Amino acid sequence: EGTFRYARARHASSVAALVAAPIFGLAGEFAIAPQNGWFNFFGFALVPWIVLGFRRALRRDARGAVLAAACIAWCTGLGGTYAVPMVALWCGLELVEALLRTGWARDSAGATSAVVMAVATASLGAGLAAVRLWPVIETLRDAPRVVGGSPGSEIPLLLRMLFLGTEPDGPSGQFFVGALAVPAALFALLRRRSVPLAAYGALWVWLAAGYAVTPSLFAASHALPVYGALRYPERYLILFGFVVSVLAARGITVARAFARASPRHRSLWRVVHAALLVAVALDVGPLTYQHFATAATRNLAAQPPS
């Protein structure tokens, strides 16, 4: 639902958003996490709601600020040691995008309002989450998490994790979003409105590569408070999966717009639109299968008596 609403906020049609939203909702993280006992990673399901609320807040919608803050607190309460810092970066990108769109010199009042709402949302979220943040901060202070070695993955491996990772137990399956949505996601780039999202996706892949690329954005992020405790850069692929879902919705929408705007080639664009729509819908198949296959490997026996 959150992905659907965020895709609509990014100018996707209702049908396209409906078809593409399950790509993130069924992504590999949500199939693998229960098997590993990582129920706190379900906090990533709140990422679309947080960025949706933050995006609305930047447009002076106080309800958006409350939505984002409440979901930040909920995610923190689940133990979102990865989800919350990572979604904070997404919100930072949303703020930069809003300021570039508004233009400080052109509309200083609008830009100032966006900054004020961003600060208010972050403050409210931190306040609501304080009951959980306080012990987390104490724990990190008393026992800081040290990143050993130089974690990282080459770009081809990251792409394999995203689009070919059907191993229920392997690290690839944890970030699987399927390849059938890729054509629609790429088609979205034919319109300028999709460029910011594509830039978001490029940043998440760069971070996910960790120390395997030079320069390493992941290494640079370790200079920031909290981010130095994040040890597994590939988890940024979860955010990239969200980008793929929204871009796929945008791509279907763009194909429909081409069909309406080009009377001479309307039949061709209708075929393209239908093909993209069907491909994205079929992408749910392998994602659902991964959930089924992973669930079959779980040990649901009774807890040992001692």
Side-chain angles (χ1 to χ4, degrees), residues 150-159 161-162 201-219 231-237 240:
S150 302
S153 304
E154 299 289 345
I155 299 298
L157 176 58
L158 296 179
L159 295 178
M161 290 179 181
L162 286 163
L203 282 173
W204 304 141
V205 171
W206 188 6
L207 281 163
Y211 289 87
V213 296
T214 304
S216 172
L217 189 59
F218 180 74
R231 294 178 287 182
Y232 302 101
E234 62 273 11
R235 286 175 179 162
Y236 281 98
L237 292 181
F240 185 80

Side-chain angles (χ1 to χ4, degrees), residues 259-286:
R260 290 180 172 179
S262 179
R264 290 181 59 187
H265 305 287
R266 183 164 294 168
S267 297
L268 172 63
W269 288 120
R270 281 179 174 173
V271 171
V272 171
H273 172 252
L276 294 178
L277 188 69
V278 170
V280 172
L282 290 176
D283 198 44
V284 172

Side-chain angles (χ1 to χ4, degrees), residues 81-121:
T81 50
Y82 275 86
V84 174
M86 287 163 62
V87 77
L89 292 179
W90 186 304
C91 290
L93 294 176
E94 289 277 356
L95 177 58
V96 170
E97 183 184 347
L99 294 177
L100 290 175
R101 183 175 56 249
T102 305
W104 205 292
R106 188 170 61 254
D107 184 8
S108 59
T112 302
S113 174
V115 173
V116 169
M117 288 301 290
V119 173
T121 303

Side-chain angles (χ1 to χ4, degrees), residues 24 62 188 275:
F24 180 69

Side-chain angles (χ1 to χ4, degrees), residues 287-305:
L287 291 172
T288 305
Y289 172 76
Q290 186 189 21
H291 279 259
F292 174 79
T294 305
T297 65
R298 291 180 198 149
N299 182 8
L300 301 181
Q303 186 175 1

Side-chain angles (χ1 to χ4, degrees), residues 15-109:
V15 172
L18 178 68
V19 171
I23 294 173
F24 180 69
L26 291 170
E29 177 60 33
F30 306 118
I32 300 294
Q35 182 189 27
N36 294 331
W38 297 343
F39 293 98
N40 53 311
F41 275 80
F42 278 105
F44 278 102
L46 292 166
V47 166
W49 290 105
I50 293 172
V51 295
L52 173 67
F54 192 80
R55 187 174 177 84
R56 289 178 175 176
L58 295 178
R59 286 162 172 75
R60 308 180 192 183
D61 185 348
R63 293 172 301 178
V66 173
L67 172 63
C71 289
I72 288 170
W74 188 1
C75 191
T76 305
L78 281 170
T81 50
Y82 275 86
V84 174
M86 287 163 62
V87 77
L89 292 179
W90 186 304
C91 290
L93 294 176
E94 289 277 356
L95 177 58
V96 170
E97 183 184 347
L99 294 177
L100 290 175
R101 183 175 56 249
T102 305
W104 205 292
R106 188 170 61 254
D107 184 8
S108 59

